[in-house]
Amino acid sequence: NETLNTIPFYPGFSLVAGQARLLAGSQAHGLNLYTGSLSWPNGEQNGYCGDGGGVYIDPQATCAYAHCEGGSANWIVNPSADTVLNNWSAAQTGISTSDRWPWVADIKGDWTTISTVYTGTDRLYQSTNNAASWTAISPDLTAGNSTINTIAVAPTDSNTIYTGAGDGT
């Protein structure tokens, strides 16, 4: 089995349009980047992100966003999708530490307003400044004991955001 390359990926990945690049979060291997070869370099080699979660690269490939586990979840941002496995910075200003934080969170962006991204705890958060700060834009969207595990921005109306939680709400 030593020649098998297996990585359990969490749901969600992000492609860089027009390039052979795909960013994905994986269990115990951090953030992984596909660049066209069978070897996928990962962020764990750079000392962060034990489990990589939801990822998002904006359509202009100017910013990359990711979620990493670590007790309380950590959202991180990379201002350059070209160096996507290096230069990550913490990006959780404004996200309440009293919220229920997911182990593996989702993060999605608004394709019409590049600087706007969404993530969730038990509430939905929005950043309009490339994750420099976050604002809760909803109450608890779960039945009271879960977290948001999926987010989608409606393709026809970026004012409509869909969420799903681990308890089915």
Side-chain angles (χ1 to χ4, degrees), residues 112-137:
T112 61
T113 308
I114 300 300
S115 61
T116 299
V117 288
Y118 299 91
T119 194
T121 58
D122 55 316
R123 301 185 289 165
L124 183 64
Y125 281 84
Q126 178 189 54
S127 172
T128 58
N129 56 10
N130 298 100
S133 62
W134 298 91
T135 302
I137 60 170

PDB file of all heavy atoms in Angstrom, residues 112-137:
ATOM      1  N   THR A 112     -20.530  38.390  -7.407  1.00  0.00           N
ATOM      2  CA  THR A 112     -20.776  39.710  -7.975  1.00  0.00           C
ATOM      3  C   THR A 112     -20.060  40.811  -7.201  1.00  0.00           C
ATOM      4  O   THR A 112     -19.810  41.879  -7.743  1.00  0.00           O
ATOM      5  CB  THR A 112     -22.290  40.027  -8.026  1.00  0.00           C
ATOM      6  OG1 THR A 112     -22.819  40.009  -6.699  1.00  0.00           O
ATOM      7  CG2 THR A 112     -23.009  39.012  -8.900  1.00  0.00           C
ATOM      8  N   THR A 113     -19.762  40.554  -5.930  1.00  0.00           N
ATOM      9  CA  THR A 113     -19.018  41.505  -5.098  1.00  0.00           C
ATOM     10  C   THR A 113     -17.842  40.739  -4.506  1.00  0.00           C
ATOM     11  O   THR A 113     -17.972  40.075  -3.487  1.00  0.00           O
ATOM     12  CB  THR A 113     -19.904  42.092  -3.974  1.00  0.00           C
ATOM     13  OG1 THR A 113     -21.092  42.607  -4.556  1.00  0.00           O
ATOM     14  CG2 THR A 113     -19.176  43.182  -3.227  1.00  0.00           C
ATOM     15  N   ILE A 114     -16.708  40.798  -5.157  1.00  0.00           N
ATOM     16  CA  ILE A 114     -15.553  39.947  -4.856  1.00  0.00           C
ATOM     17  C   ILE A 114     -15.128  40.013  -3.396  1.00  0.00           C
ATOM     18  O   ILE A 114     -14.698  39.021  -2.824  1.00  0.00           O
ATOM     19  CB  ILE A 114     -14.361  40.316  -5.785  1.00  0.00           C
ATOM     20  CG1 ILE A 114     -14.758  40.118  -7.238  1.00  0.00           C
ATOM     21  CG2 ILE A 114     -13.113  39.529  -5.442  1.00  0.00           C
ATOM     22  CD1 ILE A 114     -15.171  38.726  -7.610  1.00  0.00           C
ATOM     23  N   SER A 115     -15.245  41.151  -2.739  1.00  0.00           N
ATOM     24  CA  SER A 115     -14.760  41.297  -1.359  1.00  0.00           C
ATOM     25  C   SER A 115     -15.731  40.751  -0.318  1.00  0.00           C
ATOM     26  O   SER A 115     -15.433  40.766   0.866  1.00  0.00           O
ATOM     27  CB  SER A 115     -14.469  42.771  -1.062  1.00  0.00           C
ATOM     28  OG  SER A 115     -15.657  43.536  -1.206  1.00  0.00           O
ATOM     29  N   THR A 116     -16.896  40.224  -0.736  1.00  0.00           N
ATOM     30  CA  THR A 116     -17.895  39.719   0.202  1.00  0.00           C
ATOM     31  C   THR A 116     -17.821  38.201   0.304  1.00  0.00           C
ATOM     32  O   THR A 116     -17.907  37.495  -0.700  1.00  0.00           O
ATOM     33  CB  THR A 116     -19.309  40.153  -0.230  1.00  0.00           C
ATOM     34  OG1 THR A 116     -19.360  41.583  -0.224  1.00  0.00           O
ATOM     35  CG2 THR A 116     -20.354  39.624   0.723  1.00  0.00           C
ATOM     36  N   VAL A 117     -17.669  37.714   1.554  1.00  0.00           N
ATOM     37  CA  VAL A 117     -17.630  36.280   1.824  1.00  0.00           C
ATOM     38  C   VAL A 117     -18.517  35.970   3.022  1.00  0.00           C
ATOM     39  O   VAL A 117     -18.822  36.845   3.838  1.00  0.00           O
ATOM     40  CB  VAL A 117     -16.188  35.772   2.072  1.00  0.00           C
ATOM     41  CG1 VAL A 117     -15.398  35.744   0.794  1.00  0.00           C
ATOM     42  CG2 VAL A 117     -15.474  36.592   3.119  1.00  0.00           C
ATOM     43  N   TYR A 118     -18.929  34.689   3.127  1.00  0.00           N
ATOM     44  CA  TYR A 118     -19.823  34.235   4.189  1.00  0.00           C
ATOM     45  C   TYR A 118     -19.246  33.002   4.855  1.00  0.00           C
ATOM     46  O   TYR A 118     -18.649  32.152   4.197  1.00  0.00           O
ATOM     47  CB  TYR A 118     -21.203  33.874   3.605  1.00  0.00           C
ATOM     48  CG  TYR A 118     -21.888  35.038   2.950  1.00  0.00           C
ATOM     49  CD1 TYR A 118     -21.708  35.290   1.594  1.00  0.00           C
ATOM     50  CD2 TYR A 118     -22.701  35.892   3.685  1.00  0.00           C
ATOM     51  CE1 TYR A 118     -22.327  36.370   0.979  1.00  0.00           C
ATOM     52  CE2 TYR A 118     -23.316  36.982   3.074  1.00  0.00           C
ATOM     53  CZ  TYR A 118     -23.126  37.206   1.731  1.00  0.00           C
ATOM     54  OH  TYR A 118     -23.735  38.278   1.127  1.00  0.00           O
ATOM     55  N   THR A 119     -19.453  32.900   6.158  1.00  0.00           N
ATOM     56  CA  THR A 119     -19.106  31.702   6.896  1.00  0.00           C
ATOM     57  C   THR A 119     -20.107  31.560   8.029  1.00  0.00           C
ATOM     58  O   THR A 119     -20.947  32.431   8.243  1.00  0.00           O
ATOM     59  CB  THR A 119     -17.643  31.732   7.395  1.00  0.00           C
ATOM     60  OG1 THR A 119     -17.273  30.409   7.804  1.00  0.00           O
ATOM     61  CG2 THR A 119     -17.454  32.701   8.546  1.00  0.00           C
ATOM     62  N   GLY A 120     -20.033  30.457   8.755  1.00  0.00           N
ATOM     63  CA  GLY A 120     -21.030  30.252   9.789  1.00  0.00           C
ATOM     64  C   GLY A 120     -20.514  29.584  11.036  1.00  0.00           C
ATOM     65  O   GLY A 120     -19.522  28.847  11.017  1.00  0.00           O
ATOM     66  N   THR A 121     -21.195  29.880  12.112  1.00  0.00           N
ATOM     67  CA  THR A 121     -21.061  29.193  13.392  1.00  0.00           C
ATOM     68  C   THR A 121     -22.445  28.574  13.585  1.00  0.00           C
ATOM     69  O   THR A 121     -22.855  27.767  12.770  1.00  0.00           O
ATOM     70  CB  THR A 121     -20.682  30.181  14.510  1.00  0.00           C
ATOM     71  OG1 THR A 121     -21.682  31.214  14.602  1.00  0.00           O
ATOM     72  CG2 THR A 121     -19.328  30.816  14.252  1.00  0.00           C
ATOM     73  N   ASP A 122     -23.179  28.990  14.590  1.00  0.00           N
ATOM     74  CA  ASP A 122     -24.607  28.701  14.626  1.00  0.00           C
ATOM     75  C   ASP A 122     -25.365  29.839  13.941  1.00  0.00           C
ATOM     76  O   ASP A 122     -26.535  29.741  13.648  1.00  0.00           O
ATOM     77  CB  ASP A 122     -25.106  28.478  16.051  1.00  0.00           C
ATOM     78  CG  ASP A 122     -24.776  29.630  16.991  1.00  0.00           C
ATOM     79  OD1 ASP A 122     -23.633  30.123  16.950  1.00  0.00           O
ATOM     80  OD2 ASP A 122     -25.642  30.028  17.791  1.00  0.00           O
ATOM     81  N   ARG A 123     -24.647  30.940  13.669  1.00  0.00           N
ATOM     82  CA  ARG A 123     -25.192  32.095  12.950  1.00  0.00           C
ATOM     83  C   ARG A 123     -24.429  32.267  11.638  1.00  0.00           C
ATOM     84  O   ARG A 123     -23.321  31.787  11.489  1.00  0.00           O
ATOM     85  CB  ARG A 123     -25.039  33.372  13.793  1.00  0.00           C
ATOM     86  CG  ARG A 123     -25.733  33.279  15.133  1.00  0.00           C
ATOM     87  CD  ARG A 123     -25.688  34.568  15.898  1.00  0.00           C
ATOM     88  NE  ARG A 123     -24.347  34.875  16.408  1.00  0.00           N
ATOM     89  CZ  ARG A 123     -24.005  36.076  16.854  1.00  0.00           C
ATOM     90  NH1 ARG A 123     -24.864  37.080  16.829  1.00  0.00           N
ATOM     91  NH2 ARG A 123     -22.797  36.288  17.322  1.00  0.00           N
ATOM     92  N   LEU A 124     -25.031  33.000  10.716  1.00  0.00           N
ATOM     93  CA  LEU A 124     -24.368  33.305   9.455  1.00  0.00           C
ATOM     94  C   LEU A 124     -23.610  34.619   9.608  1.00  0.00           C
ATOM     95  O   LEU A 124     -24.156  35.606  10.104  1.00  0.00           O
ATOM     96  CB  LEU A 124     -25.389  33.426   8.319  1.00  0.00           C
ATOM     97  CG  LEU A 124     -24.809  33.678   6.924  1.00  0.00           C
ATOM     98  CD1 LEU A 124     -23.943  32.496   6.468  1.00  0.00           C
ATOM     99  CD2 LEU A 124     -25.934  33.940   5.924  1.00  0.00           C
ATOM    100  N   TYR A 125     -22.354  34.628   9.169  1.00  0.00           N
ATOM    101  CA  TYR A 125     -21.515  35.823   9.222  1.00  0.00           C
ATOM    102  C   TYR A 125     -21.189  36.275   7.815  1.00  0.00           C
ATOM    103  O   TYR A 125     -21.003  35.458   6.906  1.00  0.00           O
ATOM    104  CB  TYR A 125     -20.200  35.536   9.966  1.00  0.00           C
ATOM    105  CG  TYR A 125     -20.365  35.532  11.464  1.00  0.00           C
ATOM    106  CD1 TYR A 125     -20.805  34.393  12.126  1.00  0.00           C
ATOM    107  CD2 TYR A 125     -20.091  36.667  12.205  1.00  0.00           C
ATOM    108  CE1 TYR A 125     -20.956  34.393  13.504  1.00  0.00           C
ATOM    109  CE2 TYR A 125     -20.234  36.675  13.583  1.00  0.00           C
ATOM    110  CZ  TYR A 125     -20.669  35.536  14.225  1.00  0.00           C
ATOM    111  OH  TYR A 125     -20.828  35.542  15.583  1.00  0.00           O
ATOM    112  N   GLN A 126     -21.071  37.588   7.662  1.00  0.00           N
ATOM    113  CA  GLN A 126     -20.710  38.189   6.384  1.00  0.00           C
ATOM    114  C   GLN A 126     -19.509  39.104   6.589  1.00  0.00           C
ATOM    115  O   GLN A 126     -19.426  39.818   7.582  1.00  0.00           O
ATOM    116  CB  GLN A 126     -21.871  39.024   5.836  1.00  0.00           C
ATOM    117  CG  GLN A 126     -21.558  39.727   4.525  1.00  0.00           C
ATOM    118  CD  GLN A 126     -22.653  40.698   4.134  1.00  0.00           C
ATOM    119  OE1 GLN A 126     -23.026  41.569   4.906  1.00  0.00           O
ATOM    120  NE2 GLN A 126     -23.179  40.514   2.931  1.00  0.00           N
ATOM    121  N   SER A 127     -18.598  39.069   5.636  1.00  0.00           N
ATOM    122  CA  SER A 127     -17.504  40.033   5.584  1.00  0.00           C
ATOM    123  C   SER A 127     -17.597  40.747   4.249  1.00  0.00           C
ATOM    124  O   SER A 127     -17.750  40.104   3.207  1.00  0.00           O
ATOM    125  CB  SER A 127     -16.140  39.354   5.700  1.00  0.00           C
ATOM    126  OG  SER A 127     -15.112  40.309   5.469  1.00  0.00           O
ATOM    127  N   THR A 128     -17.505  42.057   4.275  1.00  0.00           N
ATOM    128  CA  THR A 128     -17.531  42.829   3.033  1.00  0.00           C
ATOM    129  C   THR A 128     -16.158  43.418   2.718  1.00  0.00           C
ATOM    130  O   THR A 128     -16.024  44.220   1.806  1.00  0.00           O
ATOM    131  CB  THR A 128     -18.574  43.967   3.123  1.00  0.00           C
ATOM    132  OG1 THR A 128     -18.254  44.800   4.239  1.00  0.00           O
ATOM    133  CG2 THR A 128     -19.979  43.408   3.249  1.00  0.00           C
ATOM    134  N   ASN A 129     -15.137  42.974   3.505  1.00  0.00           N
ATOM    135  CA  ASN A 129     -13.789  43.518   3.317  1.00  0.00           C
ATOM    136  C   ASN A 129     -12.738  42.405   3.276  1.00  0.00           C
ATOM    137  O   ASN A 129     -11.733  42.479   3.953  1.00  0.00           O
ATOM    138  CB  ASN A 129     -13.474  44.552   4.400  1.00  0.00           C
ATOM    139  CG  ASN A 129     -13.635  43.978   5.800  1.00  0.00           C
ATOM    140  OD1 ASN A 129     -13.812  42.775   5.989  1.00  0.00           O
ATOM    141  ND2 ASN A 129     -13.594  44.840   6.796  1.00  0.00           N
ATOM    142  N   ASN A 130     -13.012  41.385   2.489  1.00  0.00           N
ATOM    143  CA  ASN A 130     -12.069  40.271   2.309  1.00  0.00           C
ATOM    144  C   ASN A 130     -11.675  39.606   3.615  1.00  0.00           C
ATOM    145  O   ASN A 130     -10.512  39.265   3.826  1.00  0.00           O
ATOM    146  CB  ASN A 130     -10.815  40.716   1.551  1.00  0.00           C
ATOM    147  CG  ASN A 130     -11.127  41.199   0.166  1.00  0.00           C
ATOM    148  OD1 ASN A 130     -11.192  42.399  -0.067  1.00  0.00           O
ATOM    149  ND2 ASN A 130     -11.347  40.290  -0.755  1.00  0.00           N
ATOM    150  N   ALA A 131     -12.621  39.423   4.516  1.00  0.00           N
ATOM    151  CA  ALA A 131     -12.449  38.713   5.789  1.00  0.00           C
ATOM    152  C   ALA A 131     -11.602  39.472   6.804  1.00  0.00           C
ATOM    153  O   ALA A 131     -11.163  38.902   7.793  1.00  0.00           O
ATOM    154  CB  ALA A 131     -11.901  37.305   5.571  1.00  0.00           C
ATOM    155  N   ALA A 132     -11.399  40.765   6.607  1.00  0.00           N
ATOM    156  CA  ALA A 132     -10.694  41.559   7.622  1.00  0.00           C
ATOM    157  C   ALA A 132     -11.539  41.656   8.889  1.00  0.00           C
ATOM    158  O   ALA A 132     -11.002  41.701  10.000  1.00  0.00           O
ATOM    159  CB  ALA A 132     -10.364  42.947   7.095  1.00  0.00           C
ATOM    160  N   SER A 133     -12.866  41.672   8.738  1.00  0.00           N
ATOM    161  CA  SER A 133     -13.776  41.649   9.885  1.00  0.00           C
ATOM    162  C   SER A 133     -15.096  41.029   9.444  1.00  0.00           C
ATOM    163  O   SER A 133     -15.429  41.029   8.257  1.00  0.00           O
ATOM    164  CB  SER A 133     -14.000  43.055  10.438  1.00  0.00           C
ATOM    165  OG  SER A 133     -14.613  43.874   9.458  1.00  0.00           O
ATOM    166  N   TRP A 134     -15.820  40.488  10.418  1.00  0.00           N
ATOM    167  CA  TRP A 134     -17.070  39.780  10.165  1.00  0.00           C
ATOM    168  C   TRP A 134     -18.193  40.411  10.967  1.00  0.00           C
ATOM    169  O   TRP A 134     -17.977  40.907  12.072  1.00  0.00           O
ATOM    170  CB  TRP A 134     -16.938  38.315  10.560  1.00  0.00           C
ATOM    171  CG  TRP A 134     -15.905  37.558   9.802  1.00  0.00           C
ATOM    172  CD1 TRP A 134     -14.588  37.395  10.132  1.00  0.00           C
ATOM    173  CD2 TRP A 134     -16.090  36.846   8.579  1.00  0.00           C
ATOM    174  NE1 TRP A 134     -13.946  36.628   9.193  1.00  0.00           N
ATOM    175  CE2 TRP A 134     -14.852  36.272   8.226  1.00  0.00           C
ATOM    176  CE3 TRP A 134     -17.187  36.638   7.753  1.00  0.00           C
ATOM    177  CZ2 TRP A 134     -14.678  35.504   7.081  1.00  0.00           C
ATOM    178  CZ3 TRP A 134     -17.008  35.868   6.613  1.00  0.00           C
ATOM    179  CH2 TRP A 134     -15.765  35.301   6.285  1.00  0.00           C
ATOM    180  N   THR A 135     -19.419  40.303  10.439  1.00  0.00           N
ATOM    181  CA  THR A 135     -20.621  40.751  11.126  1.00  0.00           C
ATOM    182  C   THR A 135     -21.650  39.638  11.059  1.00  0.00           C
ATOM    183  O   THR A 135     -21.895  39.080   9.973  1.00  0.00           O
ATOM    184  CB  THR A 135     -21.206  42.012  10.449  1.00  0.00           C
ATOM    185  OG1 THR A 135     -20.216  43.033  10.458  1.00  0.00           O
ATOM    186  CG2 THR A 135     -22.452  42.496  11.163  1.00  0.00           C
ATOM    187  N   ALA A 136     -22.268  39.311  12.205  1.00  0.00           N
ATOM    188  CA  ALA A 136     -23.355  38.332  12.211  1.00  0.00           C
ATOM    189  C   ALA A 136     -24.554  38.952  11.507  1.00  0.00           C
ATOM    190  O   ALA A 136     -24.955  40.068  11.833  1.00  0.00           O
ATOM    191  CB  ALA A 136     -23.710  37.942  13.624  1.00  0.00           C
ATOM    192  N   ILE A 137     -25.109  38.257  10.527  1.00  0.00           N
ATOM    193  CA  ILE A 137     -26.262  38.784   9.794  1.00  0.00           C
ATOM    194  C   ILE A 137     -27.505  37.928  10.020  1.00  0.00           C
ATOM    195  O   ILE A 137     -28.498  38.079   9.309  1.00  0.00           O
ATOM    196  CB  ILE A 137     -25.962  38.934   8.284  1.00  0.00           C
ATOM    197  CG1 ILE A 137     -25.603  37.598   7.636  1.00  0.00           C
ATOM    198  CG2 ILE A 137     -24.865  39.969   8.061  1.00  0.00           C
ATOM    199  CD1 ILE A 137     -25.546  37.649   6.114  1.00  0.00           C
TER     200      ILE A 137
END
